[in-house]
Amino acid sequence: MRRFLIAGNWKMHKGVGETSAFIEGLLATDPSPAVDVVVSPPFTSLPTAAMLLTGSKIGLAAQNVHWEASGAFTGEISGEMLTELGAEWVIVGHSERRTFFGETDRTARDRARAAQQAGLKVIYCIGETLEERESDRTFQVLESQTDGLGGLSHAGLVVAYEPVWAIGTGRTASPDQAQEAHAFVRGCLERAFSAVRAEGIRILYGGSLKPGNAHELLSKPDVDGGLIGGASLDVESFSAIIRAAAVCAAGE
Ligand code: 13P
């Protein structure tokens, strides 16, 4: 019932020229219609990406959004500004925002709420650090990070479970570790929304997801797609992950 979503988070990579080349290459691969695909370039590349993606099924995400519609917030961008540029999605609460820019559960939720009010779909990131996992606090952290999500609309909400220790490290959660965390998060979403709504919310896995491990991770019942960093920067590897999702969607 949940369609796979494969989202590439480019982080601070690819200016306008590289964005054009990537999107032209991706469109040429004719991604599977059975899989939802989203790319998330830096703000400065959004207009170019939006123009090239017009008429395609590939969605466009920004990587951050402010919680106010306008005001004296130097360096920030509002939801309305993003939709005006053609973005339909936004990533909120990424661990890099939390680690380097003081993002908290509170600010992430505020951003997500404002994004939804502006008509954006939200990819809401959560995940524990290595220290939290090693001290058996993974579930406690996931519970507090999802606490209050019930204040958002379930429509267009996607949660990304990204264990911080797996991001950019080459160290991936095992399929069983991912499934265990995703099933736990789905339980949290049931309490925040309802069992029926939680069943419909996609939970993506992120953290060193690559063509070589995509199939085994995406085969797990509560893993509904991926939020991909490094491997989303190359058309070949990104489209190989999309193909792996299409194979899983076909039940293979
Ligand atoms: P990597 O795929 O490079 O580990 O990054 C994951 C991530 O942070 C996606 O948001």
Side-chain angles (χ1 to χ4, degrees):
M1 141 195 187
R2 297 183 296 267
R3 280 171 64 83
F4 280 108
L5 172 61
I6 299 297
N9 174 11
W10 295 1
K11 309 189 180 185
M12 199 171 72
H13 294 286
K14 296 195 191 295
V16 169
E18 285 179 288
T19 295
S20 302
F22 180 97
I23 291 179
E24 280 161 8
L26 181 63
L27 290 171
T29 67
D30 197 14
S32 165
V35 178
D36 292 338
V37 177
V38 168
V39 291
S40 184
F43 290 132
T44 50
S45 294
L46 287 173
T48 301
M51 186 186 67
L52 292 169
L53 291 174
T54 304
S56 87
K57 290 221 164 62
I58 298 172
L60 183 61
Q63 298 175 18
N64 191 22
V65 62
H66 195 257
W67 53 82
E68 294 289 346
S70 63
F73 301 105
T74 302
E76 292 287 323
I77 296 195
S78 74
E80 286 77 2
M81 292 169 185
L82 295 174
T83 55
E84 192 180 25
L85 289 185
E88 308 147 281
W89 292 84
V90 64
I91 298 170
V92 170
H94 192 279
S95 69
E96 286 147 19
R97 301 289 323 164
R98 294 174 189 261
T99 304
F100 302 123
F101 304 102
E103 188 85 272
T104 63
D105 293 332
R106 167 87 201 272
T107 57
R109 279 199 306 272
D110 288 348
R111 291 182 200 277
R113 193 173 311 112
Q116 290 191 331
Q117 277 162 4
L120 291 161
K121 292 176 270 192
V122 171
I123 300 176
Y124 192 92
C125 304
I126 56 173
E128 81 287 0
T129 63
L130 185 59
E131 194 226 320
E132 287 161 346
R133 174 161 283 265
E134 287 181 339
S135 57
D136 275 337
R137 284 185 290 141
T138 298
F139 290 160
Q140 191 188 321
V141 169
L142 296 179
E143 188 149 40
S144 77
Q145 289 176 334
T146 50
D147 187 39
L149 285 190
L152 300 175
S153 165
H154 71 285
L157 177 65
V158 169
V159 174
Y161 168 62
E162 300 204 304
V164 179
W165 47 271
I167 295 178
T169 58
R171 192 176 157 190
T172 318
S174 71
D176 288 341
Q177 283 174 323
Q179 170 57 28
E180 183 187 42
H182 283 224
F184 180 82
V185 170
R186 200 170 304 284
C188 297
L189 296 175
E190 277 181 23
R191 289 189 288 285
F193 297 98
S194 69
V196 173
R197 288 184 171 171
E199 265 305 296
I201 297 176
R202 290 180 285 192
I203 305 175
L204 312 184
Y205 170 78
S208 299
L209 184 59
K210 301 195 164 30
N213 57 27
H215 185 274
E216 56 175 9
L217 282 158
L218 297 171
S219 298
K220 291 293 177 184
D222 285 292
V223 179
D224 307 315
L227 183 58
I228 300 130
S232 78
L233 295 173
D234 172 70
V235 173
E236 269 311 300
S237 59
F238 190 53
S239 51
I241 295 171
I242 297 168
R243 284 197 299 278
V247 167
C248 292
E252 291 162 31

